[in-house]
Amino acid sequence: YLRIVAWSFVASGVVFVTSSMFQALGNTIPPLLTSVTRITLVAIPIVWLARLPGFQLKWIWYLSAVAVALQMAANLLLLQREMRLRFTAPVAASADQPSLSA
């Protein structure tokens, strides 16, 4: 268990940090959606895998580690998009407006 799940500890840490960043920005919907997606990506295949002959418990841990890595990638991409939208839009909008000092 630990040999498999230990690979997802760093990804879990990044997920926690990116979720906190979204919370600080006041937009908690993206990490909520990635969490629901991760849980769905793990739960549905587990039900299917458990019915297969020769099922091994370690398949669940591999699936979980991969799902956390995918959630981390999605959170990072969504956070990058959020930062780009929030911090470049006002600069571009203010460049179009005439200066008051002129």
Side-chain angles (χ1 to χ4, degrees), residues 1-76:
Y1 167 79
L2 288 177
R3 287 182 186 152
I4 298 168
V5 175
W7 289 101
S8 67
F9 288 166
V10 172
S12 293
V14 173
V15 167
F16 289 136
V17 170
T18 55
S19 295
S20 297
M21 288 293 297
F22 275 112
Q23 186 176 6
L25 292 169
N27 186 6
T28 57
I29 299 300
L32 174 67
L33 294 177
T34 59
S35 291
V36 168
T37 303
R38 177 183 54 85
I39 291 168
T40 304
L41 284 175
V42 171
I44 293 173
I46 286 174
V47 171
W48 176 73
L49 287 171
R51 296 176 184 206
L52 293 177
F55 170 74
Q56 297 178 15
L57 191 59
K58 67 180 178 181
W59 296 353
I60 294 174
W61 307 127
Y62 282 120
L63 186 61
S64 177
V66 169
V68 170
L70 291 173
Q71 182 184 12
M72 177 192 71
N75 272 8
L76 286 171

